[in-house]
Amino acid sequence: MSAHSAEVDGARTVDLDVVLRKAGRTKIRYRAALLADDGTRLTVRAPWAGSGVRDFGFVRFEPGDVFTEHYWRDRWYAVKEVRTGTGALKGWYCDVTRPAVRAGAELVVEDLDLDLWCSADGTDVRRLDEDEFAASGLPERDPVAAANAVAALDTLERLARDADGLRALL
């Protein structure tokens, strides 16, 4: 087996480096198992890539958590299903991004600051980091990208609040 493959549920899968960029710099890079790539949407799975616990107040990401992440080449967002190590669903963390780009063994995504959280039961849907987005200068520097980012956040919030929630998207 090559250095870029792994066994998942008895099937051979390819590993990718997920590269999250922000303001032209790499924010985080981590290995993930590629579960699917249909040419438009890519789905990967990875353990929590942060160091230690990240407590947002409304959710905690911690060692052992597993993220199943959905990226699109034609949409301005990524949706990450978050589960505990025992499989309990915590919810969905959504990043507003430029469309994803896969280049060989890398999946590169540019974070545009806006985020959305939706709890597992759908009762807690919250927009995040709108202040960071405003301070980023993107609305002035690239108004088209900024408009796409705001529209993506609005779409994610609408989907999260629908009866089927984000599950309908995935």
Side-chain angles (χ1 to χ4, degrees):
M1 209 175 287
S2 77
H4 295 291
S5 64
E7 293 288 328
V8 176
D9 296 330
R12 186 173 173 193
T13 62
V14 175
D15 281 351
L16 295 178
D17 283 332
V18 177
V19 182
L20 184 62
R21 300 186 53 79
K22 189 171 181 175
R25 296 180 19 215
T26 298
K27 179 178 172 183
I28 190 168
R29 171 188 290 266
Y30 54 93
R31 298 292 280 172
L34 177 65
L35 302 180
D37 182 354
D38 67 8
T40 301
R41 184 173 89 184
L42 298 99
T43 302
V44 301
R45 183 170 294 138
W48 164 241
S51 57
V53 173
R54 178 126 187 239
D55 190 343
F56 290 94
F58 51 89
V59 67
R60 288 171 47 105
F61 297 157
E62 50 202 336
D65 286 350
V66 177
F67 286 64
T68 302
E69 305 175 357
H70 306 273
Y71 298 92
W72 285 265
R73 291 179 173 97
D74 63 350
R75 298 184 190 179
W76 288 70
Y77 54 78
V79 177
K80 301 172 181 182
E81 180 184 88
V82 185
R83 292 184 177 271
T84 66
T86 60
L89 179 64
K90 290 185 175 187
W92 296 269
Y93 194 91
C94 306
D95 288 318
V96 173
T97 67
R98 291 185 188 270
V101 175
R102 181 176 176 192
E106 284 190 339
L107 176 58
V108 181
V109 183
E110 184 181 347
D111 185 344
L112 298 177
D113 292 308
L114 295 171
D115 301 298
L116 183 105
W117 169 253
C118 179
S119 62
D121 64 5
T123 61
D124 184 7
V125 176
R126 56 179 75 204
R127 295 165 76 106
L128 305 169
D129 304 326
E130 290 177 297
D131 54 338
E132 287 181 32
F133 176 74
S136 73
L138 185 67
E140 296 77 27
R141 200 173 54 255
D142 190 344
V144 172
N148 279 309
V150 171
L153 184 61
D154 291 343
T155 296
L156 287 166
E157 182 178 16
R158 180 183 49 76
L159 290 168
R161 293 186 186 284
D162 283 349
D164 293 332
L166 292 169
R167 283 185 180 96
L169 178 65
L170 310 175

